């Protein structure tokens, strides 16, 4: 007779299938063929393509391939719906979002089953993770809609939003996109991924059911070309994209100079770091969730296991034992751990990369059991003996393949973790809170999970650093992606700018009278300012600087590509600045202000000589610059992060981190204030900078060197290269060691910067030279601080 323990060990799982009856009935109701959902109505199906169930390889529906006409119709509907949607009270919009959340919950079973059938992911995941998170996202954002006017005062929705999503979390990505867009008062054209359009169709029905005004949400099916038509449409004001870095790069280039707002959530190769004191049983379950959740088709999957050498063998043995017990099978079986891979093309890609890993000499291990053969299945796979530079350690596989590498010290673990162009997420496993919170800020990733992995919530921002894209989804930080400064302010600004020439003309007389005697001697030959030292320009050229009336004011060096490279190097070398305390940075900003105040007259004379705005205006610009430096001295230790209220036993710490090395190309007006207004927030937040000052009026910047030299600004924190602004800005945008470029100037220059930024997907912030820098509302504040930082969410669960 066998004991209970023996029975338990030898017991097999019986099948526990979830019924697909309701989903099949729903498909039947639509005769298994779908058009688009535009302007509150279903379009007639056009040219269609097949939708396949990856677990059976059978066609389950057909959807229409959207044409440019379809996209035009959808954008047109969204545009027409915009005024009405905006005119609603925030409360009314909140109620619609709330109704959508209720609708999702009401149809949760249909949505979960449909998602499993369409994507191949297990019903356990769709039922317990995807769909509940979708509802949560709409509830949370109903809240932001309600609070829009108070929490985002001075801002308004950007307009018509184009959204393009991938196939790995079809409905969840839809929710991440649509909820904040609607909450911010925008209307939407969304394209689901071609592999997984069905839950978006079911969602359209929910939107219809709750009576959302026509045109507020439009869903157009199709392939990449349909997505490109949305990206290129002139009436789309913002693009939000989740998908591959490759397509993200195409979209960055396609939108360059268009003035469209852009957020990109791209690929990753996220580290899962295990220190020798970690609880290894929890680690094993963590790994299962990190890389075998959704068959590893997760942009933030913990696909690189970095383990401390002393525990490597033990952990690998435990992992293999656990893998042996994982179950791969029908996604609708409630007892499987892993379902099917989304499509043959993806399966082939995984197989190809695994073969490459083997060819490159790594050791591949898979469980002894075999996968079902009637669909696109792939077993959990573990690589050991992996070189950090090998293909499988660098390339995103987007499948159930884990690569393991070892490290000896925490420093080495950080270096290994950051040895990737990506920066989406990371997991850190240790029982030492000291170690965890020391490591988390050192990892270049938008999300860090401590002793946990793949945690998501609507209240916490999600998004990447570096080539994983920019922008955040979720949390207050995610709402900003869908908002712009109220346009009222912008118009007022351009009116004021139009008056500027007359001010200059008025000042011209006084300049002609007195400025030549008051301005510094012409024969001073300023240099560049690089690494805390004045440096001769590489090309040895200078240009003559003239006032509007033609008087020679001085000379400025003509910086070139080499000078920019040197400045970038110096800015990198100064990165210790990011670790200076806020208090320390504040002290230095105040010190700069103090030294500028001591030489206020001289700076005013120089501004007047260059711009002929008159001494009074010039003095006002110097005063405003001093005040601005004080403002960012004030902010340096006050721009706090947040503790997000996530639904776990624990906290998510949203930390504002500097972006890194920031290139700043200044506009033409307000040579001193325009520069200070950009440089001060950047350095206040811990960035180091390369500044290209006003091209026609660079001498306030070259005069500024001596102020920097006497204000304890560490070498390399501010580097200044004068010369042709647009050319130098483009060089900065092309440079792979520059993390962000800010550009003030004309549309052509902005386009060049945005286009070039695609090389390493650096962040850009471009705007036209029409800001009134003297106006505190326009010229300083949180908008600048947000641009100078990126939010890292560190999830810290607690309790036993
Ligand atoms: P994945 O590798 O995850 O399939 P893709 O980046 O290829 O990611 O696809 C993500 C989404 O982007 C899909 O909806 C796809 O149709 C769309 N897409 C693909 N190419 C383009 C393009 N050139 N422009 C806009 N959207 C595109």
């Amino acid at each position: 007779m066998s004991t209970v323990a023996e029975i338990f060990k030898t017991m097999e799982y019986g099948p526990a299938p979830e019924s697909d009856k309701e989903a099949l009935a729903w498909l039947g109701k639509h005769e298994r063929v779908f058009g688009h959902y535009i302007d509150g109505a279903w379009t007639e199906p056009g040219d269609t393509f097949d939708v396949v169930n990856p677990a059976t390889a059978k066609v389950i529906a057909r959807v229409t391939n959207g044409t440019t006409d379809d996209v035009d119709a959808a954008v047109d509907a969204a545009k027409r719906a915009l005024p009405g949607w905006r005119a609603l009270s925030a409360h009314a919009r909140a109620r619609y979002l709330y109704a959508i959340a209720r609708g999702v919950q009401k149809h949760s079973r249909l949505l979960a089953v449909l998602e499993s059938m369409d994507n191949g992911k297990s019903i356990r995941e769709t039922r317990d993770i995807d769909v509940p998170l979708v509802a949560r996202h709409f509830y949370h954002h109903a809240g932001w809609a309600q609070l829009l006017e108070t929490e985002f005062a001075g801002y308004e929705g950007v307009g018509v939003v184009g959204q393009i999503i991938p196939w790995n979390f079809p409905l969840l990505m839809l929710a991440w996109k649509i909820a904040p867009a609607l909450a911010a008062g925008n209307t939407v054209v969304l394209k689901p991924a071609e592999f997984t359009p069905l839950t978006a169709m079911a969602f359209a029905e929910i939107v219809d059911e709750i009576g959302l005004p026509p045109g507020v949400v439009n869903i157009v099916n199709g392939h990449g070309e349909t997505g490109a038509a949305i990206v290129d449409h002139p009436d789309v004001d913002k693009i939000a994209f989740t998908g591959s870095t490759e397509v993200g790069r195409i979209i960055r280039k396609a939108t360059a100079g268009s003035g469209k707002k852009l957020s990109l959530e791209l690929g990753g190769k996220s580290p899962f770091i295990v220190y020798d004191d970690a609880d290894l049983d929890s680690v094993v379950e963590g790994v299962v969730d990190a890389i075998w959740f959704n068959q590893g088709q997760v942009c933030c999957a913990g696909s690189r296991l970095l383990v401390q050498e002393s525990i490597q063998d033990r952990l690998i043995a435990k992992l293999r034992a656990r893998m042996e017990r994982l179950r791969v099978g029908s996604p609708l079986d409630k007892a499987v751990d892993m379902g099917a891979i989304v499509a043959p093309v993806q399966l082939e890609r995984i197989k190809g990369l695994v073969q490459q890993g083997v060819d490159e000499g790594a050791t591949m291990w898979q469980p002894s059991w075999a996968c079902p053969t009637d669909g696109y299945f792939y077993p959990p796979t573990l690589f050991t003996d992996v070189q950090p530079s090998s293909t499988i350690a660098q390339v995103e596989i987007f499948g159930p393949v884990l690569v393991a590498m070892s490290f000896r010290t925490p420093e080495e673990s950080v270096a290994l973790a950051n040895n990737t162009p990506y920066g989406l997420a990371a997991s850190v496993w240790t029982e030492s809170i000291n170690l965890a919170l020391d490591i988390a800020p050192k990892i270049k990733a938008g999300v860090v999970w401590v002793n946990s992995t793949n945690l998501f919530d609507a209240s916490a921002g999600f998004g990447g650093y570096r080539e994983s894209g920019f922008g955040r989804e979720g949390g207050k930080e995610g709402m900003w992606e869908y908002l712009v400064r109220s346009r009222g302010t912008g118009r007022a600004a351009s009116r004021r700018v139009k008056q500027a020439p007359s001010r200059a003309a008025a000042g011209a007389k006084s300049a002609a009278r007195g400025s030549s005697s008051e301005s510094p001697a012409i024969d001073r030959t300023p240099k560049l300012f690089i690494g805390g030292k004045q440096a001769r320009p590489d090309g040895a050229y200078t240009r003559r600087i003239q006032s509007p009336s033609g008087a020679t004011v001085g000379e400025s060096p003509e910086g070139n590509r080499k000078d920019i490279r040197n400045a970038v190097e110096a800015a990198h070398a100064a990165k210790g600045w990011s670790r200076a305390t806020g208090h320390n940075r504040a002290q230095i900003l105040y010190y700069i202000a103090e030294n500028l105040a001591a030489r206020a007259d001289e700076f005013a004379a120089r501004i007047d000589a260059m711009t002929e705005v008159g001494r009074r205006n010039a003095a006002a610009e110097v005063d405003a610059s001093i005040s601005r430096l004080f403002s960012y001295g004030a902010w340096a230790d006050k721009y706090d992060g947040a503790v997000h209220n996530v639904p776990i036993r624990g906290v998510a710490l949203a930390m504002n981190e500097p972006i890194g090395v920031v290139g700043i190309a200044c506009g033409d007006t307000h040579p001193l204030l325009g520069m200070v207004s950009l440089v001060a927030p950047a350095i206040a937040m811990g960035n180091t900078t390369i500044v290209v000052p006003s091209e026609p009026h660079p001498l306030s910047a070259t005069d500024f060197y001596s102020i920097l030299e006497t204000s304890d600004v560490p070498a390399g924190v501010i580097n200044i290269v004068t010369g042709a602004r647009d050319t130098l800005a483009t060089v900065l945008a092309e440079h792979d060691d520059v993390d962000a470029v800010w550009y003030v100037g004309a549309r052509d220059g902005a386009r060049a910067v945005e286009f070039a930024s695609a090389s390493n997907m650096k962040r850009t912030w471009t705007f036209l030279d029409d800001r009134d820098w003297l106006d505190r509302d326009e010229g300083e504040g949180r908008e600048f601080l947000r641009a100078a930082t990126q939010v890292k969410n560190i999830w810290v669960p607690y309790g036993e």
Side-chain angles (χ1 to χ4, degrees):
M1 224 174 67
S2 34
T3 65
V4 173
E6 276 163 356
I7 294 173
F8 196 70
K9 268 193 197 139
T10 54
M11 225 166 31
E12 269 305 317
Y13 285 93
E18 175 76 33
S19 164
D20 59 3
K21 222 169 97 194
E22 195 188 351
L24 291 176
W26 182 83
L27 286 168
K29 186 179 86 182
H30 289 274
E31 296 174 355
R32 297 194 175 218
V33 56
F34 297 86
H36 314 297
Y37 182 72
I38 295 175
D39 208 10
W42 294 96
T43 65
E44 285 298 316
D47 274 348
T48 59
F49 55 89
D50 292 342
V51 180
V52 174
N53 180 340
T56 61
K58 296 219 168 73
V59 175
I60 48 174
R62 286 178 299 125
V63 302
T64 300
N65 195 20
T67 61
T68 45
D69 284 350
D70 295 332
V71 170
D72 287 349
V75 173
D76 193 47
K79 203 174 162 189
R80 277 183 284 109
L82 193 58
W85 181 243
R86 278 211 172 130
L88 289 178
S89 67
H91 176 63
R93 284 192 298 266
R95 285 171 76 137
Y96 278 116
L97 281 156
Y98 182 78
I100 294 175
R102 302 286 295 176
V104 167
Q105 282 187 319
K106 230 186 314 179
H107 298 290
S108 60
R109 193 154 172 283
L110 168 68
L111 293 169
V113 174
L114 204 55
E115 194 80 308
S116 269
M117 291 169 66
D118 196 2
N119 167 281
K121 62 168 72 189
S122 77
I123 184 77
R124 241 171 10 108
E125 289 177 14
T126 60
R127 182 194 61 196
D128 299 347
I129 297 171
D130 296 56
V131 176
L133 278 175
V134 168
R136 159 90 181 129
H137 224 77
F138 281 102
Y139 280 126
H140 180 80
H141 284 87
W144 284 128
Q146 175 78 15
L147 301 177
L148 191 72
E149 286 144 1
T150 51
E151 290 303 298
F152 301 95
Y155 282 77
E156 65 187 22
V158 54
V160 174
V161 178
Q163 307 183 313
I164 297 161
I165 57 172
W167 44 259
N168 58 342
F169 293 89
L171 191 63
L172 185 57
M173 290 302 104
L174 173 149
W176 281 22
K177 295 280 179 287
I178 291 184
L182 297 193
N186 302 289
T187 57
V188 164
V189 176
L190 176 136
K191 188 191 85 64
E194 51 272 42
F195 293 135
T196 54
L198 296 181
T199 45
M201 300 292 92
F203 179 82
E205 265 190 7
I206 292 173
V207 156
D208 216 57
E209 237 171 61
I210 65 137
L212 190 73
V216 172
V217 169
N218 305 277
I219 298 180
V220 180
N221 286 305
H223 290 85
E225 299 81 58
T226 314
I230 297 174
V231 169
D232 293 339
H233 201 294
D235 288 340
V236 170
D237 302 298
K238 178 202 158 76
I239 295 292
F241 171 79
T242 299
S244 60
T245 296
E246 184 194 347
V247 174
R249 212 168 250 135
I250 294 171
I251 292 177
R252 168 69 288 183
K253 290 182 179 170
T255 54
S258 65
K260 284 178 186 144
K261 231 173 130 81
L262 181 63
S263 51
L264 299 173
E265 202 264 272
L266 309 174
K269 190 79 180 174
S270 298
F272 186 107
I273 314 169
V274 187
Y275 296 95
D276 58 8
D277 66 343
D279 167 5
L280 289 195
D281 290 324
S282 304
V283 167
V284 169
E285 292 316 305
V287 171
V288 171
D289 285 341
I291 187 66
W292 294 307
F293 169 55
N294 202 17
Q295 297 71 250
Q297 302 168 128
V298 182
C299 49
C300 54
S303 52
R304 286 186 298 145
L305 174 64
L306 311 182
V307 47
Q308 198 149 18
E309 207 174 63
S310 52
I311 53 164
Q312 180 175 220
D313 291 347
R314 231 166 9 113
L315 179 58
I316 297 294
K318 272 177 181 284
L319 255 183
R320 287 181 178 168
R322 181 71 178 89
M323 289 167 75
E324 194 63 55
R325 291 199 311 277
L326 284 173
R327 302 188 72 229
V328 174
S330 166
L332 287 182
D333 184 334
K334 283 173 270 194
V336 305
D337 297 300
M338 280 169 61
I341 303 296
V342 73
V345 51
Q346 187 59 24
L347 189 60
E348 287 313 309
R349 183 182 151 78
I350 296 168
K351 285 180 182 167
L353 282 163
V354 166
Q355 187 56 49
Q356 203 163 338
V358 173
D359 294 346
E360 286 179 9
T363 306
M364 195 264 280
W365 191 89
Q366 291 175 337
S368 61
W369 43 260
C371 284
T373 51
D374 45 359
Y376 318 131
F377 293 93
Y378 197 83
T381 302
L382 171 65
F383 273 104
T384 49
D385 305 316
V386 177
Q387 292 301 321
S389 59
S390 65
T391 309
I392 51 169
Q394 289 292 330
V395 172
E396 183 179 36
I397 299 176
F398 227 65
V401 183
L402 179 65
V403 301
M405 287 168 274
S406 67
F407 62 85
R408 292 203 182 90
T409 62
E411 291 69 43
E412 218 179 295
S413 73
V414 171
L416 204 50
N418 288 335
N419 178 23
T420 164
Y422 294 115
L424 195 49
S427 284
V428 174
W429 293 76
T430 167
E431 290 298 291
S432 158
I433 187 81
N434 274 343
L435 182 61
L437 294 184
D438 180 44
I439 296 295
K442 292 180 179 162
I443 294 179
K444 292 178 184 145
V447 187
V448 179
W449 294 293
V450 173
N451 292 329
S452 54
T453 188
N454 278 340
L455 296 175
F456 311 99
D457 185 57
S459 68
F462 181 87
Y465 282 24
R466 306 203 280 177
E467 291 192 27
S468 292
F470 41 77
R472 294 290 177 267
E473 302 194 276
K476 193 170 188 183
E477 55 258 43
M479 283 294 290
W480 291 113
E481 304 294 332
Y482 288 94
L483 293 160
V484 286
R485 291 161 55 80
S486 294
R487 279 148 177 114
T489 332
R491 273 195 296 279
S494 58
R495 267 201 309 281
R496 276 193 292 273
V497 168
K498 282 203 195 85
Q499 291 162 2
S502 59
R503 236 181 1 201
K509 270 198 217 114
S510 71
R513 266 202 315 274
S515 66
S516 57
S517 61
E518 288 169 27
S519 55
I522 286 171
D523 58 16
R524 263 171 55 179
T525 47
K527 303 189 180 69
L528 308 174
F529 190 65
I530 295 176
K533 294 198 186 73
Q534 304 208 17
R536 274 178 219 293
D538 171 66
Y541 291 110
T542 55
R543 70 163 74 184
R544 183 179 288 258
I545 302 303
Q546 288 184 317
S547 72
S549 65
T552 297
V553 189
E555 287 185 356
S556 85
E558 196 67 24
N560 67 12
R561 184 175 286 272
K562 177 86 184 347
D563 298 313
I564 291 282
R565 277 208 299 270
N566 292 340
V568 172
E569 213 170 288
H572 262 278
K575 273 194 156 170
W577 178 245
S578 67
R579 293 187 293 277
T581 62
H583 173 75
N584 192 237
R585 294 198 287 258
Q587 293 295 303
I588 287 172
L589 280 154
Y590 290 135
Y591 201 8
I592 300 174
E594 188 186 316
N595 285 326
L596 180 58
R599 288 167 57 187
D601 286 347
E602 177 200 332
F603 271 80
R606 179 69 108 175
I607 291 169
D608 186 23
M610 284 191 299
T611 62
E612 298 175 346
V613 291
R615 276 302 280 272
R616 185 148 5 114
N617 287 330
E621 180 174 342
V622 176
D623 283 348
S625 303
I626 295 165
S627 164
R628 194 128 304 160
L629 287 160
F630 258 74
S631 289
Y632 290 108
W635 275 117
D637 64 353
K638 292 177 193 64
Y639 188 56
D640 292 333
V643 179
H644 288 312
N645 198 354
V646 289
I648 61 166
R649 271 219 298 167
V651 291
L653 311 174
M655 304 206 341
N656 293 321
E657 294 194 341
I659 298 165
V661 174
V662 180
I664 298 176
C666 302
D668 293 350
T669 59
H670 293 114
L672 180 65
L673 181 60
M675 176 178 75
V676 165
S677 299
L678 295 169
V679 174
I683 66 167
M685 294 296 105
N687 299 286
T688 59
T689 58
I690 300 106
V691 185
V692 181
S694 164
E695 180 170 340
H697 315 305
L699 302 181
S700 294
T702 56
D703 292 346
F704 208 60
Y705 305 163
S706 52
I707 300 241
L708 297 176
E709 284 166 340
T710 53
S711 305
D712 292 349
V713 180
V717 171
I718 301 176
N719 304 278
I720 300 178
V721 179
T722 52
R725 182 196 53 205
D726 285 13
T727 311
L728 297 176
T730 307
V731 174
L732 282 166
E734 284 164 351
H735 200 303
D736 276 351
D737 285 335
V738 173
D739 302 298
V741 174
W742 300 355
Y743 171 90
V744 184
R747 197 116 301 159
D748 278 353
R751 180 182 311 117
V753 163
E754 290 174 354
F755 192 88
S757 72
S759 62
N760 69 344
M761 299 307 286
K762 62 175 65 67
R763 281 172 61 170
T764 60
W765 187 31
T766 64
F767 48 93
L768 300 180
D769 199 358
D770 63 357
R771 268 189 202 235
D772 183 354
W773 292 114
L774 288 162
D775 178 348
R776 279 184 78 173
D777 273 353
E778 277 187 39
E780 71 177 56
R782 287 182 176 271
E783 183 187 9
F784 294 82
L785 296 162
R786 276 198 303 278
T789 50
Q790 51 194 345
V791 182
K792 173 182 280 173
N793 275 274
I794 302 175
W795 292 63
V796 190
Y798 46 66
E800 282 300 313

